[in-house]
Amino acid sequence: MRKSWILICFVNFFIASLMGLCLRWMYVAPMEKVNFQFLMHGHSHVAMLGWVYLMLYCLIFHFFVPKEKQQKPIYNRLFWITELAVIGMMIDFPAQGYAFASILFSTLHIFCSYFFCYLIKKDANLTTLPEKKMLRTALFFMIFSTLGVWCLGPTVGLLGKASAFYQISIQFFLHFQFNGWFLFAVFALFFKQVKLIIEAEKFRLFYNLFVATTLLTLALPVSWYLPNPVFYWLNALGVVLQLFAALLFIRFIRPQFQFFFAALPTITKTVYGFALFSLALKVVIQLVVLIPELAQVSHQIRNFVIGYIHLTMLGIITGFLFGFALQNDFLNSRNRIQKWGIAIFLLGFVTTEILLFLQGIWFFFGKGAFPNYYQNLFLSSIFLPAGLLFLSVEILKLKQKLL
Protein backbone atom coordinates (compact mmCIF):
# COMPACT_ATOMS: atom_id res chain seq x y z
CA MET A 1 0.00 0.00 0.00
CA ARG A 2 1.40 3.41 -0.98
CA LYS A 3 1.91 5.72 1.99
CA SER A 4 0.90 8.70 -0.16
CA TRP A 5 -2.53 7.16 -0.83
CA ILE A 6 -3.32 6.58 2.85
CA LEU A 7 -1.99 10.02 3.77
CA ILE A 8 -4.20 11.71 1.17
CA CYS A 9 -7.28 9.90 2.52
CA PHE A 10 -6.60 11.12 6.06
CA VAL A 11 -5.77 14.67 4.94
CA ASN A 12 -9.07 14.78 3.02
CA PHE A 13 -10.85 13.57 6.16
CA PHE A 14 -9.07 16.20 8.25
CA ILE A 15 -10.12 18.96 5.84
CA ALA A 16 -13.72 17.69 5.80
CA SER A 17 -13.71 17.74 9.62
CA LEU A 18 -12.44 21.34 9.62
CA MET A 19 -15.30 22.28 7.31
CA GLY A 20 -17.68 20.54 9.74
CA LEU A 21 -16.14 22.48 12.63
CA CYS A 22 -16.72 25.76 10.76
CA LEU A 23 -20.36 24.77 10.23
CA ARG A 24 -20.70 24.22 13.99
CA TRP A 25 -19.01 27.58 14.68
CA MET A 26 -21.48 29.39 12.41
CA TYR A 27 -24.25 28.55 14.90
CA VAL A 28 -22.19 30.23 17.63
CA ALA A 29 -20.99 33.26 15.67
CA PRO A 30 -22.22 33.61 12.04
CA MET A 31 -19.49 34.26 9.45
CA GLU A 32 -20.80 36.86 7.01
CA LYS A 33 -18.59 35.93 4.06
CA VAL A 34 -19.22 32.17 4.33
CA ASN A 35 -22.31 30.60 2.79
CA PHE A 36 -23.53 27.85 5.16
CA GLN A 37 -25.17 25.73 2.43
CA PHE A 38 -22.15 25.94 0.13
CA LEU A 39 -19.78 24.94 2.93
CA MET A 40 -22.08 22.07 3.94
CA HIS A 41 -21.99 20.76 0.35
CA GLY A 42 -18.18 20.91 0.44
CA HIS A 43 -18.06 19.16 3.81
CA SER A 44 -20.32 16.30 2.75
CA HIS A 45 -18.69 15.74 -0.65
CA VAL A 46 -15.14 15.70 0.72
CA ALA A 47 -16.11 13.40 3.61
CA MET A 48 -17.93 10.91 1.38
CA LEU A 49 -15.82 11.03 -1.77
CA GLY A 50 -12.43 12.16 -0.44
CA TRP A 51 -12.36 10.03 2.71
CA VAL A 52 -14.68 7.01 2.49
CA TYR A 53 -14.57 6.46 -1.27
CA LEU A 54 -10.79 6.82 -1.57
CA MET A 55 -10.11 4.75 1.56
CA LEU A 56 -12.29 1.97 0.15
CA TYR A 57 -10.40 2.37 -3.14
CA CYS A 58 -7.11 1.79 -1.28
CA LEU A 59 -8.35 -1.19 0.74
CA ILE A 60 -10.14 -2.93 -2.13
CA PHE A 61 -7.04 -2.48 -4.30
CA HIS A 62 -4.78 -3.83 -1.54
CA PHE A 63 -6.82 -6.87 -0.49
CA PHE A 64 -8.57 -7.98 -3.67
CA VAL A 65 -6.21 -7.10 -6.57
CA PRO A 66 -3.36 -9.64 -6.99
CA LYS A 67 0.17 -8.32 -6.44
CA GLU A 68 1.20 -8.66 -10.09
CA LYS A 69 -1.83 -6.63 -11.25
CA GLN A 70 -1.21 -3.98 -8.60
CA GLN A 71 1.85 -2.98 -10.64
CA LYS A 72 -0.36 -1.56 -13.39
CA PRO A 73 0.20 2.24 -13.58
CA ILE A 74 -3.51 2.81 -14.24
CA TYR A 75 -4.43 2.34 -10.55
CA ASN A 76 -2.05 5.07 -9.42
CA ARG A 77 -3.12 7.41 -12.21
CA LEU A 78 -6.79 6.82 -11.47
CA PHE A 79 -6.25 7.49 -7.76
CA TRP A 80 -4.67 10.90 -8.45
CA ILE A 81 -7.26 11.88 -11.07
CA THR A 82 -9.96 11.01 -8.50
CA GLU A 83 -8.13 13.09 -5.89
CA LEU A 84 -7.99 15.98 -8.38
CA ALA A 85 -11.79 15.76 -8.59
CA VAL A 86 -11.97 15.80 -4.77
CA ILE A 87 -9.72 18.88 -4.56
CA GLY A 88 -11.90 20.61 -7.15
CA MET A 89 -15.02 19.92 -5.07
CA MET A 90 -13.15 20.88 -1.89
CA ILE A 91 -12.42 24.34 -3.32
CA ASP A 92 -15.43 25.05 -5.48
CA PHE A 93 -18.38 23.84 -3.40
CA PRO A 94 -17.61 26.19 -0.46
CA ALA A 95 -17.00 29.04 -2.94
CA GLN A 96 -19.96 28.66 -5.30
CA GLY A 97 -22.13 25.72 -4.26
CA TYR A 98 -23.63 23.81 -7.19
CA ALA A 99 -22.06 25.70 -10.12
CA PHE A 100 -20.33 24.74 -13.36
CA ALA A 101 -16.95 23.87 -11.86
CA SER A 102 -18.27 21.88 -8.87
CA ILE A 103 -20.63 19.93 -11.13
CA LEU A 104 -17.74 19.29 -13.53
CA PHE A 105 -15.54 17.87 -10.75
CA SER A 106 -18.44 15.83 -9.36
CA THR A 107 -19.03 14.35 -12.81
CA LEU A 108 -15.32 13.57 -13.18
CA HIS A 109 -15.46 11.70 -9.85
CA ILE A 110 -18.46 9.66 -11.02
CA PHE A 111 -16.70 8.62 -14.25
CA CYS A 112 -13.57 7.73 -12.23
CA SER A 113 -15.73 5.51 -10.01
CA TYR A 114 -17.19 3.78 -13.08
CA PHE A 115 -13.70 3.06 -14.38
CA PHE A 116 -12.62 1.79 -10.94
CA CYS A 117 -15.56 -0.66 -11.00
CA TYR A 118 -14.46 -1.87 -14.42
CA LEU A 119 -10.86 -2.40 -13.23
CA ILE A 120 -11.90 -4.27 -10.09
CA LYS A 121 -14.35 -6.47 -12.01
CA LYS A 122 -11.53 -7.32 -14.44
CA ASP A 123 -8.61 -7.72 -12.00
CA ALA A 124 -9.97 -8.69 -8.57
CA ASN A 125 -9.29 -12.16 -7.23
CA LEU A 126 -12.29 -13.00 -5.02
CA THR A 127 -11.74 -16.36 -3.36
CA THR A 128 -14.81 -16.88 -1.15
CA LEU A 129 -18.57 -16.57 -1.69
CA PRO A 130 -19.01 -13.73 0.87
CA GLU A 131 -16.19 -11.72 -0.76
CA LYS A 132 -17.65 -12.19 -4.25
CA LYS A 133 -21.23 -11.39 -3.31
CA MET A 134 -20.55 -8.44 -1.02
CA LEU A 135 -17.92 -6.69 -3.15
CA ARG A 136 -19.76 -7.12 -6.45
CA THR A 137 -22.98 -5.88 -4.86
CA ALA A 138 -21.12 -2.92 -3.33
CA LEU A 139 -19.84 -1.92 -6.78
CA PHE A 140 -23.32 -2.40 -8.26
CA PHE A 141 -24.86 -0.10 -5.63
CA MET A 142 -22.13 2.48 -6.26
CA ILE A 143 -23.13 2.69 -9.93
CA PHE A 144 -26.85 2.34 -9.15
CA SER A 145 -26.73 5.26 -6.68
CA THR A 146 -25.53 7.64 -9.40
CA LEU A 147 -28.89 7.32 -11.18
CA GLY A 148 -30.08 9.79 -8.55
CA VAL A 149 -27.39 12.26 -9.63
CA TRP A 150 -28.22 11.90 -13.33
CA CYS A 151 -31.90 12.58 -12.53
CA LEU A 152 -31.15 15.94 -10.90
CA GLY A 153 -30.66 17.92 -14.11
CA PRO A 154 -33.88 16.80 -15.86
CA THR A 155 -35.83 17.14 -12.58
CA VAL A 156 -34.69 20.76 -12.07
CA GLY A 157 -35.50 21.57 -15.70
CA LEU A 158 -38.96 19.97 -15.66
CA LEU A 159 -40.16 20.36 -12.06
CA GLY A 160 -37.75 22.73 -10.27
CA LYS A 161 -35.63 22.38 -7.14
CA ALA A 162 -38.68 22.69 -4.89
CA SER A 163 -40.23 19.50 -6.29
CA ALA A 164 -40.49 16.25 -4.34
CA PHE A 165 -38.66 14.36 -7.09
CA TYR A 166 -35.60 16.62 -6.78
CA GLN A 167 -35.32 15.76 -3.08
CA ILE A 168 -36.04 12.07 -3.77
CA SER A 169 -33.22 11.99 -6.33
CA ILE A 170 -30.80 13.29 -3.70
CA GLN A 171 -32.06 10.79 -1.12
CA PHE A 172 -31.76 7.97 -3.69
CA PHE A 173 -28.07 8.79 -4.20
CA LEU A 174 -27.32 9.14 -0.48
CA HIS A 175 -29.25 6.01 0.53
CA PHE A 176 -27.50 3.70 -1.92
CA GLN A 177 -24.11 5.27 -1.24
CA PHE A 178 -24.32 4.83 2.54
CA ASN A 179 -26.45 1.69 2.85
CA GLY A 180 -25.38 0.10 -0.42
CA TRP A 181 -21.89 0.86 -1.69
CA PHE A 182 -20.24 1.82 1.63
CA LEU A 183 -21.80 -0.84 3.88
CA PHE A 184 -21.49 -3.73 1.44
CA ALA A 185 -17.85 -2.81 0.72
CA VAL A 186 -17.11 -2.63 4.45
CA PHE A 187 -18.69 -6.07 4.95
CA ALA A 188 -16.66 -7.51 2.06
CA LEU A 189 -13.47 -6.24 3.70
CA PHE A 190 -14.61 -7.42 7.13
CA PHE A 191 -15.27 -10.96 5.89
CA LYS A 192 -11.79 -10.85 4.31
CA GLN A 193 -10.18 -9.83 7.62
CA VAL A 194 -12.02 -12.27 9.87
CA LYS A 195 -11.78 -15.16 7.35
CA LEU A 196 -15.18 -16.44 8.40
CA ILE A 197 -16.16 -19.96 7.39
CA ILE A 198 -19.87 -19.80 6.56
CA GLU A 199 -22.16 -22.39 4.99
CA ALA A 200 -23.16 -21.22 1.51
CA GLU A 201 -26.91 -21.54 2.10
CA LYS A 202 -26.80 -19.60 5.38
CA PHE A 203 -24.73 -16.86 3.80
CA ARG A 204 -27.11 -16.60 0.83
CA LEU A 205 -30.02 -16.12 3.24
CA PHE A 206 -28.12 -13.32 5.04
CA TYR A 207 -27.13 -11.75 1.72
CA ASN A 208 -30.67 -11.83 0.31
CA LEU A 209 -32.07 -10.28 3.49
CA PHE A 210 -29.37 -7.57 3.42
CA VAL A 211 -30.07 -6.68 -0.22
CA ALA A 212 -33.85 -6.68 0.38
CA THR A 213 -33.58 -4.39 3.40
CA THR A 214 -31.31 -1.99 1.47
CA LEU A 215 -33.89 -1.68 -1.30
CA LEU A 216 -36.96 -1.52 0.94
CA THR A 217 -35.68 1.06 3.45
CA LEU A 218 -35.38 3.63 0.67
CA ALA A 219 -39.12 3.99 1.30
CA LEU A 220 -38.52 5.99 4.49
CA PRO A 221 -36.80 9.04 2.89
CA VAL A 222 -39.25 8.80 -0.04
CA SER A 223 -42.15 9.03 2.45
CA TRP A 224 -40.84 12.39 3.69
CA TYR A 225 -41.67 13.94 0.31
CA LEU A 226 -44.49 11.64 -0.94
CA PRO A 227 -46.65 10.81 2.09
CA ASN A 228 -48.34 7.46 1.50
CA PRO A 229 -49.03 4.52 3.87
CA VAL A 230 -47.45 2.15 1.31
CA PHE A 231 -44.01 3.65 1.94
CA TYR A 232 -44.40 3.19 5.70
CA TRP A 233 -45.14 -0.52 5.29
CA LEU A 234 -42.34 -1.05 2.78
CA ASN A 235 -39.87 0.54 5.19
CA ALA A 236 -41.31 -1.48 8.09
CA LEU A 237 -40.79 -4.72 6.14
CA GLY A 238 -37.23 -3.64 5.31
CA VAL A 239 -36.42 -2.85 8.94
CA VAL A 240 -37.81 -6.20 10.17
CA LEU A 241 -35.78 -8.05 7.53
CA GLN A 242 -32.75 -6.04 8.63
CA LEU A 243 -33.24 -7.27 12.18
CA PHE A 244 -33.24 -10.88 10.94
CA ALA A 245 -30.11 -10.16 8.87
CA ALA A 246 -28.40 -8.68 11.95
CA LEU A 247 -29.28 -11.72 14.06
CA LEU A 248 -27.90 -14.02 11.34
CA PHE A 249 -24.72 -11.92 11.19
CA ILE A 250 -24.26 -12.32 14.95
CA ARG A 251 -24.70 -16.08 14.61
CA PHE A 252 -22.06 -16.15 11.86
CA ILE A 253 -19.38 -14.23 13.67
CA ARG A 254 -19.87 -15.32 17.31
CA PRO A 255 -18.12 -18.75 17.10
CA GLN A 256 -15.11 -17.45 15.13
CA PHE A 257 -14.96 -13.81 16.15
CA GLN A 258 -13.59 -14.44 19.65
CA PHE A 259 -10.49 -16.10 18.20
CA PHE A 260 -10.06 -13.24 15.71
CA PHE A 261 -10.70 -10.60 18.39
CA ALA A 262 -8.33 -12.11 20.99
CA ALA A 263 -5.27 -11.62 18.76
CA LEU A 264 -5.87 -7.90 18.19
CA PRO A 265 -4.19 -5.03 20.10
CA THR A 266 -6.42 -3.14 22.55
CA ILE A 267 -6.84 -0.06 20.36
CA THR A 268 -7.91 -2.21 17.38
CA LYS A 269 -10.41 -4.08 19.56
CA THR A 270 -11.79 -0.74 20.76
CA VAL A 271 -12.26 0.60 17.22
CA TYR A 272 -13.92 -2.58 15.96
CA GLY A 273 -16.09 -2.55 19.09
CA PHE A 274 -17.22 1.01 18.34
CA ALA A 275 -18.04 0.04 14.76
CA LEU A 276 -20.08 -3.02 15.75
CA PHE A 277 -21.87 -1.15 18.56
CA SER A 278 -22.73 1.67 16.14
CA LEU A 279 -24.07 -0.89 13.66
CA ALA A 280 -26.30 -2.40 16.38
CA LEU A 281 -27.45 1.09 17.39
CA LYS A 282 -28.37 1.87 13.77
CA VAL A 283 -30.60 -1.23 13.66
CA VAL A 284 -32.27 -0.22 16.95
CA ILE A 285 -32.87 3.37 15.78
CA GLN A 286 -34.49 2.14 12.57
CA LEU A 287 -36.77 -0.11 14.63
CA VAL A 288 -37.74 2.82 16.89
CA VAL A 289 -38.57 4.95 13.84
CA LEU A 290 -41.28 2.42 12.94
CA ILE A 291 -43.44 4.29 15.47
CA PRO A 292 -45.49 6.42 13.01
CA GLU A 293 -45.16 9.65 15.00
CA LEU A 294 -41.37 9.27 15.03
CA ALA A 295 -41.08 8.41 11.33
CA GLN A 296 -41.95 11.96 10.26
CA VAL A 297 -40.28 13.70 13.21
CA SER A 298 -37.00 11.89 12.42
CA HIS A 299 -36.79 14.04 9.30
CA GLN A 300 -38.16 17.27 10.73
CA ILE A 301 -35.78 17.50 13.71
CA ARG A 302 -32.40 18.21 12.10
CA ASN A 303 -30.44 16.98 15.15
CA PHE A 304 -31.74 13.45 14.57
CA VAL A 305 -30.83 13.58 10.87
CA ILE A 306 -27.26 14.77 11.48
CA GLY A 307 -26.81 12.40 14.42
CA TYR A 308 -27.96 9.43 12.34
CA ILE A 309 -25.78 10.35 9.34
CA HIS A 310 -22.74 10.72 11.61
CA LEU A 311 -23.55 7.45 13.38
CA THR A 312 -23.37 5.69 10.01
CA MET A 313 -20.47 7.70 8.59
CA LEU A 314 -18.23 8.07 11.64
CA GLY A 315 -19.37 5.25 13.89
CA ILE A 316 -19.91 2.35 11.48
CA ILE A 317 -18.03 3.07 8.25
CA THR A 318 -15.09 5.04 9.67
CA GLY A 319 -14.93 2.68 12.66
CA PHE A 320 -14.43 -0.30 10.35
CA LEU A 321 -12.00 1.62 8.12
CA PHE A 322 -9.88 2.53 11.17
CA GLY A 323 -10.04 -1.11 12.28
CA PHE A 324 -8.81 -2.38 8.90
CA ALA A 325 -6.03 0.22 8.87
CA LEU A 326 -4.87 -0.70 12.39
CA GLN A 327 -5.08 -4.44 11.84
CA ASN A 328 -2.92 -4.23 8.71
CA ASP A 329 -0.42 -1.64 10.03
CA PHE A 330 -1.51 1.21 7.76
CA LEU A 331 -1.97 2.87 11.15
CA ASN A 332 0.47 1.80 13.86
CA SER A 333 -1.34 0.36 16.89
CA ARG A 334 1.91 0.65 18.87
CA ASN A 335 2.47 4.34 18.08
CA ARG A 336 1.49 6.41 21.13
CA ILE A 337 0.57 9.53 19.10
CA GLN A 338 -1.67 7.56 16.72
CA LYS A 339 -3.37 5.82 19.64
CA TRP A 340 -4.03 9.21 21.20
CA GLY A 341 -5.31 10.47 17.84
CA ILE A 342 -7.84 7.64 17.60
CA ALA A 343 -8.88 8.06 21.26
CA ILE A 344 -9.41 11.83 20.80
CA PHE A 345 -11.39 11.25 17.59
CA LEU A 346 -13.64 8.67 19.30
CA LEU A 347 -14.16 11.04 22.23
CA GLY A 348 -15.32 13.73 19.80
CA PHE A 349 -17.62 11.29 18.05
CA VAL A 350 -19.25 10.06 21.27
CA THR A 351 -19.73 13.51 22.84
CA THR A 352 -21.17 15.09 19.69
CA GLU A 353 -23.55 12.16 19.12
CA ILE A 354 -24.81 12.39 22.72
CA LEU A 355 -25.40 16.13 22.35
CA LEU A 356 -27.14 15.79 18.96
CA PHE A 357 -29.54 13.04 20.02
CA LEU A 358 -30.27 14.54 23.46
CA GLN A 359 -31.07 17.92 21.90
CA GLY A 360 -33.27 16.17 19.34
CA ILE A 361 -35.17 14.40 22.15
CA TRP A 362 -35.54 17.75 23.97
CA PHE A 363 -37.04 19.32 20.83
CA PHE A 364 -39.37 16.33 20.39
CA PHE A 365 -40.80 16.86 23.90
CA GLY A 366 -41.08 20.62 23.31
CA LYS A 367 -38.49 21.59 25.91
CA GLY A 368 -36.45 23.85 23.61
CA ALA A 369 -32.67 24.11 23.39
CA PHE A 370 -30.09 23.18 26.02
CA PRO A 371 -28.28 26.14 27.56
CA ASN A 372 -25.08 26.77 25.56
CA TYR A 373 -25.92 23.81 23.28
CA TYR A 374 -24.17 25.17 20.18
CA GLN A 375 -21.10 26.26 22.14
CA ASN A 376 -20.77 22.80 23.70
CA LEU A 377 -21.34 21.10 20.36
CA PHE A 378 -18.60 23.22 18.79
CA LEU A 379 -16.16 22.52 21.63
CA SER A 380 -16.86 18.77 21.44
CA SER A 381 -16.38 18.84 17.66
CA ILE A 382 -12.81 20.16 18.06
CA PHE A 383 -11.75 16.66 19.10
CA LEU A 384 -12.57 15.26 15.64
CA PRO A 385 -10.05 17.29 13.54
CA ALA A 386 -7.57 17.23 16.45
CA GLY A 387 -7.52 13.43 16.44
CA LEU A 388 -7.26 13.30 12.64
CA LEU A 389 -4.38 15.80 12.71
CA PHE A 390 -2.43 13.50 15.04
CA LEU A 391 -3.02 10.56 12.71
CA SER A 392 -2.13 12.49 9.53
CA VAL A 393 1.09 13.94 10.95
CA GLU A 394 2.30 10.53 12.15
CA ILE A 395 1.61 8.98 8.72
CA LEU A 396 3.51 11.86 7.09
CA LYS A 397 6.52 11.25 9.38
CA LEU A 398 6.91 7.64 8.19
CA LYS A 399 10.02 7.24 6.03
CA GLN A 400 8.92 4.22 3.99
CA LYS A 401 6.93 4.81 0.80
CA LEU A 402 5.01 1.52 1.14
CA LEU A 403 3.01 0.51 4.22
Side-chain angles (χ1 to χ4, degrees), residues 284-346:
V284 170
I285 288 172
Q286 287 180 280
L287 283 167
V288 170
V289 173
L290 290 183
I291 300 169
E293 293 80 5
L294 292 176
Q296 194 62 31
V297 168
S298 66
H299 169 61
Q300 293 170 346
I301 297 179
R302 188 168 178 78
N303 305 73
F304 286 148
V305 176
I306 297 172
Y308 181 78
I309 291 172
H310 284 185
L311 177 69
T312 305
M313 180 81 172
L314 302 181
I316 302 170
I317 297 165
T318 297
F320 276 114
L321 295 179
F322 277 11
F324 303 147
L326 286 163
Q327 186 183 347
N328 295 280
D329 292 327
F330 306 141
L331 293 175
N332 189 346
S333 60
R334 298 172 298 279
N335 182 297
R336 186 167 55 87
I337 301 298
Q338 289 196 350
K339 286 197 286 188
W340 270 105
I342 290 170
I344 291 169
F345 178 88
L346 292 179

Side-chain angles (χ1 to χ4, degrees), residues 24 43-44 62-63 77 87 130 144 154 162 196 206 224 233 239 241 244 264 266 281 309 313 320 364:
R24 296 270 163 88
H43 165 70
S44 59
H62 180 79
F63 290 112
R77 291 171 188 164
I87 292 170
F144 187 57
L196 289 175
F206 164 75
W224 297 337
W233 290 111
V239 170
L241 293 180
F244 286 124
L264 298 175
T266 302
L281 196 56
I309 291 172
M313 180 81 172
F320 276 114
F364 177 71

Side-chain angles (χ1 to χ4, degrees), residues 70-256:
Q70 289 183 10
Q71 305 308 313
K72 292 181 178 180
I74 186 61
Y75 283 103
N76 192 46
R77 291 171 188 164
L78 182 61
F79 179 90
W80 291 109
I81 293 170
T82 307
E83 174 59 15
L84 174 65
V86 172
I87 292 170
M89 291 183 280
M90 186 187 297
I91 294 168
D92 208 66
F93 269 116
Q96 302 182 70
Y98 279 98
F100 175 77
S102 58
I103 292 171
L104 182 67
F105 286 118
S106 302
T107 306
L108 174 61
H109 195 289
I110 289 173
F111 283 118
C112 286
S113 71
Y114 290 169
F115 191 54
F116 176 65
C117 288
Y118 165 75
L119 289 174
I120 295 301
K121 186 177 185 299
K122 184 164 64 80
D123 291 341
N125 180 24
L126 305 173
T127 56
T128 68
L129 179 65
E131 291 172 18
K132 289 176 186 176
K133 286 284 191 181
M134 301 307 278
L135 185 59
R136 287 173 181 173
T137 307
L139 297 176
F140 167 78
F141 276 131
M142 183 214 290
I143 295 171
F144 187 57
S145 71
T146 60
L147 291 176
V149 177
W150 298 127
C151 287
L152 288 174
T155 301
V156 170
L158 294 171
L159 301 171
K161 282 190 175 183
S163 70
F165 287 101
Y166 178 80
Q167 296 299 330
I168 289 169
S169 296
I170 294 172
Q171 293 300 326
F172 183 96
F173 171 72
L174 293 174
H175 178 82
F176 287 114
Q177 281 277 306
F178 278 96
N179 299 294
W181 153 229
F182 291 167
L183 273 184
F184 275 82
V186 160
F187 270 102
L189 290 160
F190 185 69
F191 285 133
K192 181 76 171 178
Q193 304 304 305
V194 182
K195 297 179 175 61
L196 289 175
I197 300 169
I198 308 170
E199 292 177 30
E201 288 305 313
K202 289 182 179 178
F203 174 76
R204 284 193 179 94
L205 176 59
F206 164 75
Y207 170 79
N208 291 334
L209 288 171
F210 197 15
V211 171
T213 195
T214 303
L215 295 170
L216 289 168
T217 52
L218 174 66
L220 177 62
V222 171
S223 71
W224 297 337
Y225 306 103
L226 294 176
N228 190 304
V230 172
F231 295 124
Y232 170 81
W233 290 111
L234 286 174
N235 178 63
L237 176 60
V239 170
V240 172
L241 293 180
Q242 180 177 250
L243 178 61
F244 286 124
L247 294 173
L248 273 175
F249 178 68
I250 292 168
R251 285 187 62 187
F252 289 159
I253 68 171
R254 184 182 290 173
Q256 302 168 60

